[in-house]
Amino acid sequence: MVDRIYLEEGQKQIYACPECRSEITLDNTSISPKQNGSGVKITCQCGFERLVYFEYRNFGRLDTNLPGTFNVVSTAGKPETGLLVVKDLSMTGLKLQLSSSEMSRFKVGDQFVVEFNLDNDSRSHIRKKVTLKYIQNHFCGVEFCGEDEYDNHLVSYYFVKKGIPGQG
């Protein structure tokens, strides 16, 4: 199994050992953006070793807990829906939590539609076509599809919650 650690400039990253759940603080000051995709072997105090890959993100992640739904067309051509929770978002994608039975419907590369409301004053409705990039247990990462990549409500929400760079 390969783990990916997504780096943001100037932030320390915490890696949880999958064996003992101990937290390992990673100093990413020694990893430059030029090493994007580089692998490093991490050894936990319990002796567990894992190769992890670092990737720099263009945009940070914003933790959320927003309920929503997904819509997908089954292989039989029948529309299916299910429940999800948006666990975090960035300018280009989402981390979703689905039940195990719902997650079993998908494979990497599948496209589907997610819908949810932001928790801003206007409860902005977001409807995005996405592509599944990874599956890890009952979480998955999705990337917005081309025409749905940027959305004014989502961009505003992100920068209000995350903070506008250079402000503060």
Side-chain angles (χ1 to χ4, degrees), residues 67-99:
T69 60
F70 67 85
N71 303 297
V72 64
V73 177
S74 72
T75 54
K78 178 181 155 195
E80 297 179 13
T81 62
L83 300 176
L84 59 81
V85 177
V86 178
K87 297 307 285 182
D88 71 33
L89 60 88
S90 78
M91 299 299 289
T92 58
L94 307 167
K95 178 179 180 183
L96 307 175
Q97 180 179 12
L98 288 81
S99 71

Side-chain angles (χ1 to χ4, degrees), residues 48-132:
F48 183 80
E49 293 182 342
R50 166 90 26 104
L51 185 62
V52 296
Y53 290 89
F54 295 100
E55 289 185 21
Y56 269 89
R57 292 194 175 276
N58 292 329
F59 299 101
R61 308 297 286 176
L62 177 63
D63 290 334
T64 61
N65 200 32
L66 305 170
T69 60
F70 67 85
N71 303 297
V72 64
V73 177
S74 72
T75 54
K78 178 181 155 195
E80 297 179 13
T81 62
L83 300 176
L84 59 81
V85 177
V86 178
K87 297 307 285 182
D88 71 33
L89 60 88
S90 78
M91 299 299 289
T92 58
L94 307 167
K95 178 179 180 183
L96 307 175
Q97 180 179 12
L98 288 81
S99 71
S100 297
S101 63
E102 289 170 332
M103 190 63 76
S104 66
R105 300 179 191 197
F106 298 106
K107 64 183 184 312
V108 172
D110 284 351
Q111 291 189 337
F112 54 98
V113 175
V114 297
E115 293 188 60
F116 58 96
N117 290 328
L118 299 175
D119 58 0
N120 57 5
D121 290 341
S122 59
R123 305 274 306 144
S124 301
H125 184 74
I126 304 296
R127 184 177 196 277
K128 296 285 201 184
K129 184 176 180 182
V130 297
T131 301
L132 185 60

Side-chain angles (χ1 to χ4, degrees), residues 2-9 11-18 24-28 31-32 35-43 50-57 61 134 136:
V2 174
D3 284 341
R4 294 201 183 284
I5 297 176
Y6 296 101
L7 303 174
E8 293 180 46
E9 197 70 39
Q11 292 188 356
K12 290 188 178 189
Q13 303 300 315
I14 305 294
Y15 177 78
C17 174
I24 302 165
T25 302
L26 303 172
D27 179 13
N28 63 341
I31 310 236
S32 76
Q35 292 172 293
N36 194 19
S38 296
V40 173
K41 185 164 79 171
I42 294 177
T43 304
R50 166 90 26 104
L51 185 62
V52 296
Y53 290 89
F54 295 100
E55 289 185 21
Y56 269 89
R57 292 194 175 276
R61 308 297 286 176
Y134 74 85
Q136 189 174 39

